[in-house]
């Protein structure tokens, strides 16, 4: 089995085969492919072709492809199955965390029918409890499949348990150790298990330094713990300290990526998770809110400039540097807010208080402001006739950079304090507000300087 | 050992103890702490206190704290040791990937002295070869510590190898299987090892479906493979297919986070990796380049507006909507480029060609442009006297949104094609160019409409 690169050429070839119903060629190539790669192909072809392709995938691989598909594609794919088939062919065969996630995406009626079709009542009730946890909490991320050993067992008993559970639990890195009340008391790595004598007592070989999370802990917090302690898996406990599940690093990698993507999109003025393959209407809807905020900002600044109409009439050169002032305010503000937002997310904000942070921000802004203002002053004195304009632009610029930087620092810090995601303060919001701020400073200053 | 939250209060208490040289209290608390938490504290206190604290950490924990420190703090910490001490106390005791990384950060002279102080010549030469790989490649990310088994061994021989190597290799998830030429031929998970009979032959129990990377593969490519195939560790092979190292998921998590941070910073106009605890000068230097680009853009637009000075003299109201047009061009452009950059990074760009992508972008832009232009037209007809201005603004706005969107889509795609990181096309670059583009459209159009 080789990594087959799912590129345009490969998909073209496959589409051709599908059209010709060349099942022999397709079966051969599908056998060579990893489930993840097949899922990638499925995501990129139409629903009918996808179903045909899935009918040619080997039985044992179908479920793995199913889990890896994009959500929308999977929904479409499931529409040809009845609830009993969905329960038996898919839900029973996949990990509980994936099962709970996929069930939660189904329409309510189908979801209920699928769950009541499950023949394993205990598993059905486990799934129901997984499905009830809030999104982005440990409870909603965890799987219930895990190997646990009682602290009173021997190593041999523990190995026997692994043998019995081997079919249910695909990947095992550690065995969690619990007491008679099912409370988590430690862990044993498979390495230690291999190196220990079969007759040794678990209580003698276990590692009590086990980091765990609670079912209600948030995904971002969990991701930070994985990153900090270099974990591969973490046990999840309930309020009584009982072991109820485990979270593996692959899910955490997804969380880290999703959160970074979200911050990036907020910064660029996109409100929901979209990518370039989404529908026109979806893309438009994700982008329109920020454009409308920009529009309102633009209208506000037009009202503001209108106040100075008479002055513009006499000194139209005042208009020359409006875009510069507005843009620089926006740029400086976005830089400041980005640094704060990222420091908050990475927990590298330092321990100083808000005032020393602002003081530092003022120093950075002053430094950059002096450089930029100096350059533009030199330019204007050299190439522009109006010294009034030259001084107005430079003094405005340095003021704008300082105010915009302070504003960009304070807003995300305040939002964070009142538990609102500071990332929404970046991008269009800061840019729009600082456009206005910049123009206000520029025109007020011009008004004063020109009337001297 | 409990997770101790390293918060302001805790650090304050610790600082007080350090001042009082209350070593008993400190030792007790340090014993309770994970190395990662101690490192977090060390990162946040001054160099002298850090050294005092490190002198109180248990011997076995010192090295672990050392690896987790921030780079700058570690450099400072190492300055009190001579090359032989650095070699024996630290480099010999940590994983080879960390050792190579830390050595590469030392000044050349010290680095050479440390390497020549290593008593294990074979290890020294391994480190030298690790250090020679380019940054952000598999070679520079991998560690040479791994367990490999010959395909002709039995399971029992493999377990014996694990026992012998247990001290060198901290964490083991899988055993890689090689042939007599050391070429990678498969892997065995520890789970399979436990479940197999000791007399079974490795060749009968191994899994041949092993995904590997080459030493020269780039970190972003590797991160995508880990993410796609849900891996925990990946073997690294050289050009001859020989097993030379392994990369673990914790390093990949760091890569994913770093890359996301970098894209975020580029988007917000920050050129190097900084956070809010960096020095004023560092922060200023990272932010100044983009501000200067914004400055040049501003000067260019001032020259452009100057052309229309006479017209502004007669119709100062033309200036009212300059900020709106410029801002909306910037916003729409940033949104487009962000979607492309993210789709490129996540490999979700779809298989369509560039023209169908542009066509789609035009449709999104048209939809959003019509909504925004319609709203501003209604506003202007209702509240502004000049119908000329109303039409100029609305027609400019829709043109600007379309052009900026196309520009925002094309530039990152082109950069990507010529192998330049498309992320640099986002943020200030797109904003500045689109400011100019917007003003050009606005004034040209106004010129035509007003002279009708």
């Amino acid at each position: 089995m080789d990594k087959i690169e799912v590129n345009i050429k490969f998909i073209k070839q496959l589409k051709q085969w599908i059209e010709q119903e060349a099942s022999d060629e397709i079966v051969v190539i599908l056998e060579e492919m990893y489930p993840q790669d097949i899922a990638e192909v499925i995501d990129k072809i139409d629903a009918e072709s996808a179903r045909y392709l899935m009918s040619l995938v080997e039985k044992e691989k179908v479920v793995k492809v199913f889990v890896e598909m994009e959500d929308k594609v999977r929904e479409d794919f499931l529409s040809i199955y009845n609830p009993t088939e969905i329960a038996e062919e898919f839900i029973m065969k996949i990990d509980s965390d994936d099962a709970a996630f996929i069930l939660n995406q189904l329409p309510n009626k189908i979801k209920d029918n699928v769950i009541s079709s499950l023949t394993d009542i205990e598993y059905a009730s486990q799934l129901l409890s997984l499905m009830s946890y809030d999104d982005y909490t440990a409870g909603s991320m965890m799987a219930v499949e895990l190997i646990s050993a009682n602290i009173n067992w021997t190593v041999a008993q523990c190995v026997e348990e692994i043998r019995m559970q081997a079919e249910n639990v695909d990947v095992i890195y550690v065995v969690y150790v619990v007491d008679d009340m099912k409370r988590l008391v430690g862990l044993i790595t498979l390495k230690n298990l291999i190196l220990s004598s079969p007759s040794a007592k678990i209580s003698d070989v276990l590692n009590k330094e086990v980091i765990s999370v609670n079912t209600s802990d948030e995904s971002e917090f969990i991701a930070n713990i994985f990153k900090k302690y270099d974990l591969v898996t973490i046990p999840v406990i309930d309020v009584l300290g009982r072991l109820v599940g485990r979270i593996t690093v692959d899910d955490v990698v997804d969380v880290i990526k999703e959160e970074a993507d979200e911050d990036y999109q907020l910064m660029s003025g996109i409100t929901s998770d979209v990518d370039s393959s989404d529908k026109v209407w979806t893309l438009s809807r994700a982008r329109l809110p920020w454009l409308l905020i920009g529009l309102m900002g633009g209208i506000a600044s037009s009202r503001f400039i209108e106040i100075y109409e008479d002055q513009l009439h006499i000194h139209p050169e005042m208009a020359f540097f409006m875009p510069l002032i507005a843009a620089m305010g926006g740029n400086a503000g976005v830089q400041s807010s980005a640094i704060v937002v990222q420091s908050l997310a990475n927990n590298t904000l330092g321990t100083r208080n808000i005032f020393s942070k602002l003081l530092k921000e003022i120093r950075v802004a002053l430094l950059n402001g002096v450089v930029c203002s100096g350059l533009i002053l030199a330019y204007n004195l050299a190439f522009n006739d109006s010294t009034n304009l030259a001084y107005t632009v430079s003094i405005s610029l340095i003021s704008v950079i300082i105010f915009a930087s302070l504003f960009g620092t304070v807003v995300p810090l305040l939002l964070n304090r009142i538990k609102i995601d500071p990332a929404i303060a970046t991008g269009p919001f800061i840019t729009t507000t600082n456009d206005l701020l910049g123009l206000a400073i520029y025109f007020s200053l011009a008004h004063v300087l020109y009337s001297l």
Side-chain angles (χ1 to χ4, degrees), chain A residues 369-387:
Chain A
V370 165
V371 174
C372 293
S373 294
L375 287 173
I376 197 81
L377 188 67
Y379 167 84
N380 272 335
L381 290 179
F383 299 103
N384 259 319
D385 303 328
S386 162
T387 47

Side-chain angles (χ1 to χ4, degrees), chain A residues 119-135:
Chain A
T119 45
D120 183 340
I121 304 295
E122 200 197 336
Y123 186 57
S125 100
Q126 275 183 321
L127 284 182
L128 277 175
S129 89
L130 282 183
M131 288 162 64
S132 69
Y133 289 108
D134 288 337
D135 283 350

Side-chain angles (χ1 to χ4, degrees), chain A residues 113-174:
Chain A
N113 283 335
V114 172
I115 293 172
S116 53
S117 307
L118 287 167
T119 45
D120 183 340
I121 304 295
E122 200 197 336
Y123 186 57
S125 100
Q126 275 183 321
L127 284 182
L128 277 175
S129 89
L130 282 183
M131 288 162 64
S132 69
Y133 289 108
D134 288 337
D135 283 350
Y136 305 107
T137 63
S140 74
M141 293 169 73
M142 72 185 183
V144 294
E145 294 85 3
L146 54 80
I147 310 270
S148 67
N150 188 292
I151 189 159
N152 301 315
W153 290 358
T154 61
V155 166
Q157 277 175 296
C158 183
V159 169
E160 188 49 37
E161 175 75 13
I162 295 180
R163 200 180 303 279
M164 277 164 51
Q165 297 282 333
E167 208 184 307
N168 296 329
V169 189
D170 234 19
V171 189
I172 309 173
Y173 309 112
V174 295

Side-chain angles (χ1 to χ4, degrees), chain A residues 325-360:
Chain A
I325 297 292
M328 294 299 278
N331 289 351
V334 166
Q335 288 182 334
S336 300
S337 66
I339 289 180
V340 173
V341 167
Q342 217 161 41
S343 297
L344 283 170
N346 297 345
N347 198 15
T348 54
L349 205 59
T351 54
R352 303 248 191 100
N353 62 34
I354 193 163
F355 290 105
S356 68
K357 250 180 267 305
L358 287 181
L359 212 69
K360 186 175 189 181

Side-chain angles (χ1 to χ4, degrees), chain A residues 388-407:
Chain A
N388 264 339
L389 182 66
Y391 288 114
T392 303
V393 170
S394 282
I395 300 175
S396 303
L397 185 56
I398 196 166
S399 321
V400 165
I401 289 180
I402 290 173
F403 275 105
S405 302
L406 286 181
F407 194 66

Side-chain angles (χ1 to χ4, degrees), chain A residues 20-250:
Chain A
Q20 299 161 351
E21 303 208 357
S23 58
D24 292 351
E25 281 87 347
I26 299 178
V27 166
V28 170
I29 197 88
L30 287 178
E31 266 173 19
E32 287 289 309
M33 289 171 75
Y34 284 96
Q36 288 88 347
D37 291 317
I38 300 178
E40 199 179 330
V41 171
I42 299 271
D43 291 344
K44 285 173 178 167
I45 59 180
D46 63 276
E48 206 187 329
S49 306
R51 265 182 224 131
Y52 175 65
L53 209 63
M54 282 298 272
S55 72
L56 299 176
V57 175
E58 303 152 76
K59 264 266 175 301
E60 331 63 288
K61 238 191 228 170
V62 167
V63 175
K64 286 181 187 163
V65 177
F66 172 78
V67 170
E68 298 290 336
M69 285 178 191
E70 264 181 35
D71 302 342
K72 289 171 221 162
V73 178
R74 193 188 305 111
E75 215 182 302
D76 210 58
F77 174 74
L78 279 182
S79 64
I80 52 164
Y81 293 94
N82 66 43
T84 316
E85 285 167 337
I86 296 177
E88 281 170 16
E89 298 296 318
F90 299 103
I91 298 302
M92 280 306 289
K93 292 180 179 169
I94 61 182
D95 281 348
S96 55
D97 53 342
D98 295 327
F101 178 79
I102 289 170
L103 281 171
N104 262 335
Q105 288 192 315
L106 292 176
N108 274 332
K109 216 181 146 184
I110 302 178
K111 176 166 70 180
D112 294 346
N113 283 335
V114 172
I115 293 172
S116 53
S117 307
L118 287 167
T119 45
D120 183 340
I121 304 295
E122 200 197 336
Y123 186 57
S125 100
Q126 275 183 321
L127 284 182
L128 277 175
S129 89
L130 282 183
M131 288 162 64
S132 69
Y133 289 108
D134 288 337
D135 283 350
Y136 305 107
T137 63
S140 74
M141 293 169 73
M142 72 185 183
V144 294
E145 294 85 3
L146 54 80
I147 310 270
S148 67
N150 188 292
I151 189 159
N152 301 315
W153 290 358
T154 61
V155 166
Q157 277 175 296
C158 183
V159 169
E160 188 49 37
E161 175 75 13
I162 295 180
R163 200 180 303 279
M164 277 164 51
Q165 297 282 333
E167 208 184 307
N168 296 329
V169 189
D170 234 19
V171 189
I172 309 173
Y173 309 112
V174 295
V175 173
Y176 296 114
V177 181
V178 294
D179 63 14
D180 291 333
M181 311 286 284
K182 302 239 174 207
R183 284 178 306 209
L184 179 71
V185 290
L187 62 78
I188 309 175
T189 62
L190 290 202
K191 173 182 151 189
N192 283 342
L193 219 51
I194 288 177
L195 300 181
S196 300
S197 140
S199 60
K201 289 206 94 179
I202 293 287
S203 54
D204 294 330
V205 295
L206 96 167
N207 180 352
K208 284 184 180 165
E209 290 172 11
V210 54
I211 299 175
S212 61
V213 291
N214 297 308
T215 49
S216 59
D217 282 338
E218 280 176 31
S219 55
E220 195 161 0
F221 171 78
I222 297 164
N224 280 332
I225 289 189
F226 266 83
K227 204 148 62 72
K228 183 168 183 179
Y229 301 104
D230 295 341
L231 303 177
V232 162
T233 168
I234 203 167
V236 183
I237 57 176
D238 67 10
V239 280
L240 301 176
R242 291 177 306 189
L243 178 66
V244 288
R246 66 155 181 180
I247 297 171
T248 46
V249 68
D250 51 307

